[in-house]
Structures are given as structure tokens and as C-alpha cells.
Amino acid sequence: MSGSCAAPGPGSGSSPAACRFAHYFVLCGIDADSGLEPDELAVLYQWLEADRHGKSQGAANTTSGENFDQSPLRRTFKSKVLAHYPQNIEWNPFDQDAVNMLCMPKGLSFRTQTDNKDPQFHSFIITREDGSRTYGFVLTFYEEVTSKQICTAMQTLYQMHNAEHYSSVYASSSCSMDSLASSLDEGDTTSLLKLQRYNSYDISRDTLYVSKSICLITPLPFMQACKKFLIQLYKAVTSQQPPPLPLESYIHNILYEVPLPPPGRSLKFYGVYEPVICQRPGPSELPLSDYPLREAFELLGLENLVQVFTCVLLEMQILLYSQDYQRLMTVAEGITTLLFPFQWQHVYVPILPASLLHFLDAPVPYLMGLQSKEGTDRSKLELPQEANLCFVDIDNHFIELPEEFPQFPNKVDFIQELSEVLVQFGIPPEGSLHCSESTSKLKNMVLKDLVNDKKNGNVCTNNISMYELLKGNETIARLQALAKRTGVAVEKMDLSASLGEKDKDLKLHCEEAELRDYQLNVQLREVFANRFTQMFADYEAFVIQTAQDMESWLTNREQMQNFDKASFLSDQPEPYLPFLSRFIETQMFATFIDNKIMSQWEEKDPLLRVFDTRIDKIRLYNVRAPTLRTSIYQKCSTLKEAAQSIEQRLMKMDHTAIHPHLLDMKIGQGKYEQGFFPKLQSDVLATGPTSNNRWVSRSATAQRRKERLRQHSEHVGLDNDLREVCGLPSWGASQQAP
């Protein structure tokens, strides 16, 4: 996608909705009128799995741990979309079933006052028919159940559960008291009374809570901004004092009055209590990515992440496994972001609902995320195609790799360069779960090199403390010891102090930790992008362009050879060949070359445009001929420049959205009640304002209207032709927006 707005779909015309920050606000939870409904898909899946493994339905009931033998508080109940605003956007129709399933993948969760009820955040992706993506950001919290009907139903389920469970236990003549205790609760064998109270619910003594989700659906992945906004909404609901304005004012504001920031600009809008900041890369920068790579590297560790990244490049089957939905999304989005300038072309489901687990049987490349249940391990999963599967246990910092696959070129040097970036941001390359002494040794070594190298472009110097830079100096060490005796903390002295108070004030638009996450993201991505720029700097010399026009090329696409693979490989360094010979056979590489060929007739794909610009820069400074290719590792030289671009956008806001304001609402409705999300007034949220603010009028100018329609016809229309004629997977203009 190019231009300032997301590419609209058919029928959108000049609607300013195409340039809105958020498309929908969604509320999911329990329908008090229908009561407790079992999740039929989950129950059906359990029965099918039992049948698949030759077990009886009764065995499924006792081994699945979901709906029959399991405690009612741990069962799966059906959730529903309670409300969504607006009702529908013509060019991005609301998919109620998909949104409900992804907002609450486990269905409704019940708790009592003794359980943990901390709110949980996660995100998801919906891929539309044209291949473009819609992003969802969800905050799930717990509300007290006020319906006596539902509380009574839960009490009845427990009475039935206890009667059936304990009668079956006592019926076993070989069951001793010890085995009874073990069957109920392995961690508590003190008394049968305590065991009977475990996971129980008594309507006379317990308070019942049920999960509810609030969600924003957006065209671009502004994860951090959406998370902050949703958390502020939640705080407003749980605060002792009502919010400054009705919640409708804030939701109306983000749906209709907050625009997408133009490429290369930053935007400030307002939540309930404090402003929210987001920024968008320019057309010549790497595409927008708001998922923190720091977390992905901390969860997996550098070595593991590079190995998984290599499996993704070679289009294997990758299964992510974690108890936490957001961890699945963070790792999946993090790895696919690093593929630039290539794009994953196959099945991509970062959060796979349990009812769809049979998708793992598909004999195709996929990248999926599966939620693990507490207490289960890898051995209990029966997965097909083990030889081609990369299994990633995120929670345990563990991966199982396919039997045979080549290593990424210059892997050792590549990991070393990434390690240097991570250490400069205080992140151990081994990951947060497996830190060791080698981390501190590497950090000292890197910092020592930086003192000698000074302005090598790899470090934003104001982020390194003076003490760390001079840590290896003996004189400084003696001064530090003297300073300690006099009560002076040398460690606190920071180079940023020399920048002056003016710069410090400018950074108040963004928290320091948030700025560092943005800068770390872009520097890690620059290192990955640099590897591909170096490896494929001469790819154009091997592109075969035989067709005279696009129509004939599309017609004969399957019979044409578009890339001279043999000549390309003969030109590569010997150590690269095992990896490159397999990579150039992938669908993502074929699509990349197709985009290059089509660029002679149509505007360049945004990713290709950025990549070719980087190659042109290499040629300016380093004239290269295909016969001079070497395997000498060349570090990225654009790290400092990339970090500065992020900082400059966050130092001074380019745009500020209109403040939330009072709406024309009915008096007496939506009364504030602490701990309960109010019933919103639908009429004020159904439609946006008339064009009375500068953002709407500005986005509806004739020039932008013409540009959006042109982009849509070129990108989406062309993709549909490709899909129909060539059988290639489609992709959308907004899938990787700059």
C-alpha cells in the first residue's frame, strides 16, 4: 500500500472511513438471555479426536478434560458478540463468527473470588479474500455475574458433576484414599473435604465472575496504541470514580475522529486518562511493525529464533505452542516481519482455535499457533508430518527442528551482529529464561569494541551509560571504588545528560522504554534486511523478462521461466549454496520475482520498491559485478540512521487528533456502575460525524480519492487476476503497509 490511507475496498468510493485509525469496536461475552451454552465445536472436536485414536466417547469424556468429567468452572461455554460499532463497513464487512472465535478462542471463562482475575491482552489477524489483513486487539477481563439464572445453572452443574465424579471414584474397589486424593488434586492430599472444595462453586458462599472482551479492529497493526487505549477503558470501568466523559465519547472518538497517521508521520490521540502516541514509517523505510521484537528474542533466544526464521524462509510447517495467546502473536508477527522483502505466502493462523486443530493435518506449509493447556507437554500432542515440522515451545524456550535443513548463510557472523544490537539494549542473546555469564562477557567485549570504533553507526550513543562505555578502564575502576566510598554512584551518570534539558523535554511524548522498543525493533529488522540486500544485490541480472505485455505474461505464467536459477547459483559463494538452492524454489521467492516482472507494466509493489532502493544505495558505494561475489560478511551500516528516524517522529508530534467530547446522548442511560462495562447507546455509535473536522475533510480531497481508487484497482484487481489465472496465492495492498 502506498499513499496515506489504507486501500479501500469496492464500493467505498471516497468514504473517509478508509483513512480511520479503527474500523470497529467490539464487545464479546455471555448472553444473559440464552444462559450457559456448551461450546459445541469443542465438544465435537473432542469426540472426533477420541474416535480418531480408537477410543470410546466415554474415554473422550475422561481424557479430554474439557466438558464432561471436568469441573464446570473449567469447561468451555459459548461466547457471543454482544455489540459492535459501527454495524457494518461495506468494503470491510464485519465477520461475527470469526471475530467472536478470535476474541475469545477458549469461549467463556468462569472464576470465583478465590481465582486470579487479572485482565489479559492478546491480538489476532483476519485475512480477507483479497489477501489483505485486518488486525484485532483484545482486552479480556472479568465481571461479576448478576443473573440468578446463570448462577443457579452453575450450581446445578456442580451438583451433577460432584454426584457423578465421586460415585465413580467410590465405586472402584481398588481405590484407596491416597489414589482418591491423587485423582482429585495431586497438589493437595491433606483431606477429602479440601479436595471436594477444589474448583467448586457454592451459590451461598461464592461470587461468580465471567469473562468479557473489548476489542478494536484496525486496518494497520498499531498494537501498542490499541493496547493502551483498551487498558484505559478498562481502568475507567473499574475505577471508583466515573470517567470524565461517558465511554461512548472515547469510543466514538477513536472510531470516527482519529485518522491513520500519514506515512512518515506521528499521531497523538486521547484515551480516557492520557494521550496515546503512534508513528508510521515513511515510504522509503521498512514497513510498519508494532509487535515488540524484544519479547520474541527474550522468549526464544537468538539462536532459536534464527533457526525458526530459517525454517520459515524454507516454507516448512511451523507450529508455535504457548499457554499465552499474545506470545503466539508476538513470535509469529515478529518472525514474519523479519522476512522483508519477502512475504509468507501460505497458511498463517497465529491463534488456532481448539476446534480447528485438524488443520494441522494439512500437507502444506503453514505457520500456526496453538494454545497449550496447563499441565500438558509436547509428548501428549500427536502431530503429523514430523519430518518437516518445526515445533516451537515458546513457554519452555525449546524448539524441535526438522530432520534436515541447511543453515542460514554466515550464520555465526549474523548471530554475532544481532547479539551486539541486543546487548546494547540490555537484552541477553540467550533469552530471558536462559541467561548466563557469557552474556556479561559478550557485553563487555562489545562495549570495548565500541570504545575503539566510536561512531560506527551501530549504536545510538545516548542510550549507553558512561560507566558501561569505560567499564574496562583500570583508572576508572579505581575512581569508581573511591566514588563508592564517598557515596557517589558513577553508574547513574549517563551520556544523555550532555544532550541538554531541551531534548529530554521533547521526549516526553513517548516513554523511554517505548522509544527503546521502537528503536530496537527497527535496528534488528535493519540487520535482517541487510542480509537479504547483500545476498540478492544482483538478483535483477538473473530475472528473465520474455513477455512483451502483462496480458501475455499472465496467460503463459506457468510455462515461463522467470528466473535463471542455474546461473544465479553458479554466481554465489560455495557456503551459500545449500540454503539458496532451496530458498529460490519457495513460493515467497517466486512471488518476489513475479512482482519484479510486473513492475515493468505497473507501479512497484511497496516492499519491492524499498528493497530496490536499498540495492541502488549499495551500488553507489560499492560497485559490484556478478563475478566478484564473495562470502565476506558485511555489517549493516544504517542502524543509527533508522533509530534516529524513529526518535525524530516521537520527539515532536506531526498531528494531534480531535479531543473526545460530549455527544448528543439520551439522559439516564449508560449509568456508571463500578466493575461493569456499561450498555452503550447504539444510536450515537452507529455513524460518525458529518465532515466537520479537518481530518475528514482533508482525507476526502479529490486527489486522495483518485489515488486510493487507483491503488485499489492496481493492487487488488491485479492480485485477483493472478490468483485466477496462475493459481498463485493472493495478497493485498494493505498486508504490509509502509
Side-chain angles (χ1 to χ4, degrees), residues 378-625:
R378 167 70 175 88
S379 62
K380 296 182 180 180
L381 279 178
E382 296 190 28
L383 301 171
Q385 309 258 345
E386 294 284 348
N388 196 40
L389 179 71
C390 174
F391 179 79
V392 185
D393 188 341
I394 298 174
D395 299 339
N396 294 309
H397 199 87
F398 171 75
I399 63 173
E400 288 181 11
L401 296 170
E403 294 178 355
E404 294 183 9
F405 78 99
Q407 297 298 312
F408 192 74
N410 295 112
K411 177 185 170 185
V412 174
D413 293 324
F414 183 46
I415 287 180
Q416 174 63 26
E417 183 178 12
L418 290 169
S419 297
E420 294 173 7
V421 175
L422 290 172
V423 167
Q424 288 151 14
F425 285 84
I427 300 172
E430 293 90 343
S432 59
L433 298 181
H434 293 269
C435 302
S436 66
E437 294 182 2
S438 62
T439 304
S440 58
K441 292 180 180 178
L442 176 61
K443 185 173 183 178
N444 290 339
M445 178 184 69
V446 172
L447 290 171
K448 183 177 180 181
D449 291 342
L450 290 173
V451 172
N452 297 329
D453 196 19
K454 295 183 180 178
K455 297 180 180 179
N456 64 348
N458 287 329
V459 177
C460 189
T461 55
N462 60 326
N463 286 329
I464 304 177
S465 69
M466 180 73 77
Y467 167 65
E468 290 291 347
L469 278 174
L470 304 176
K471 195 171 182 179
N473 188 290
E474 293 183 5
T475 302
I476 295 297
R478 289 196 294 270
L479 287 174
Q480 183 203 8
L482 177 62
K484 278 187 176 181
R485 290 197 294 270
T486 59
V488 178
V490 179
E491 293 88 345
K492 301 297 183 182
M493 186 167 60
D494 197 299
L495 284 181
S496 60
S498 63
L499 299 177
E501 294 299 320
K502 182 179 180 181
D503 286 345
K504 187 178 295 185
D505 291 339
L506 289 172
K507 291 182 183 178
L508 293 179
H509 289 291
C510 175
E511 294 180 4
E512 188 69 23
E514 187 176 351
L515 172 61
R516 288 173 64 81
D517 269 355
Y518 279 128
Q519 292 180 325
L520 175 61
N521 261 28
V522 74
Q523 291 197 359
L524 289 171
R525 295 173 67 203
E526 286 287 340
V527 174
F528 278 83
N530 180 61
R531 294 314 313 136
F532 288 124
T533 307
Q534 298 290 339
M535 283 192 288
F536 294 99
D538 300 311
Y539 84 96
E540 289 182 80
F542 304 96
V543 175
I544 302 174
Q545 301 189 16
T546 56
Q548 299 300 316
D549 58 83
M550 187 171 67
E551 183 177 353
S552 63
W553 180 80
L554 290 172
T555 303
N556 301 290
R557 168 68 184 86
E558 290 299 316
Q559 290 75 38
M560 289 184 176
Q561 183 182 4
N562 296 329
F563 191 74
D564 190 348
K565 299 175 182 178
S567 298
F568 174 77
L569 291 175
S570 66
D571 181 57
Q572 304 307 308
E574 185 71 24
Y576 288 19
L577 296 181
F579 172 82
L580 288 177
S581 61
R582 290 185 57 174
F583 178 68
I584 62 175
E585 298 293 337
T586 62
Q587 184 64 54
M588 73 176 75
F589 185 77
T591 300
F592 173 76
I593 298 300
D594 287 348
N595 286 341
K596 181 63 177 178
I597 293 174
M598 286 190 294
S599 68
Q600 64 183 312
W601 302 297
E602 301 287 346
E603 183 180 352
K604 276 189 179 182
D605 173 81
L607 298 183
L608 179 63
R609 184 184 66 245
V610 176
F611 188 66
D612 283 350
T613 300
R614 288 167 175 254
I615 290 177
D616 291 340
K617 287 183 179 180
I618 286 182
R619 290 172 177 167
L620 286 176
Y621 299 104
N622 183 19
V623 179
R624 174 190 288 120

Side-chain angles (χ1 to χ4, degrees), residues 208-248:
L208 189 63
Y209 296 85
V210 66
S211 56
K212 179 173 282 187
S213 292
I214 51 177
C215 169
L216 280 177
I217 295 179
T218 66
L220 294 180
F222 289 110
M223 192 269 287
Q224 301 289 356
C226 290
K227 182 178 181 180
K228 288 183 177 181
F229 180 83
L230 292 173
I231 288 175
Q232 290 188 49
L233 280 185
Y234 169 73
K235 288 181 177 178
V237 170
T238 56
S239 172
Q240 294 182 355
Q241 299 295 327
L245 296 171
L247 292 189
E248 285 88 344

Side-chain angles (χ1 to χ4, degrees), residues 336-395:
T336 53
T337 291
L338 298 173
L339 295 176
F340 171 87
F342 309 103
Q343 292 176 280
W344 179 257
Q345 299 291 313
H346 300 280
V347 177
Y348 182 66
V349 188
I351 298 177
L352 183 68
S355 57
L356 304 180
L357 189 60
H358 58 279
F359 280 12
L360 297 176
D361 291 328
V364 296
Y366 59 70
L367 202 171
M368 299 193 200
L370 182 64
Q371 192 212 26
S372 60
K373 299 185 185 304
E374 189 174 355
T376 61
D377 55 33
R378 167 70 175 88
S379 62
K380 296 182 180 180
L381 279 178
E382 296 190 28
L383 301 171
Q385 309 258 345
E386 294 284 348
N388 196 40
L389 179 71
C390 174
F391 179 79
V392 185
D393 188 341
I394 298 174
D395 299 339

Side-chain angles (χ1 to χ4, degrees), residues 5 123 170 182 258 272 286 342 369 379 464 511-512 610 631 638 661 687 693 701:
C5 301
S123 54
Y170 281 114
S182 176
V258 176
V272 182
L286 294 175
F342 309 103
S379 62
I464 304 177
E511 294 180 4
E512 188 69 23
V610 176
S631 59
T638 59
H661 51 87
T687 57
N693 71 70
T701 61

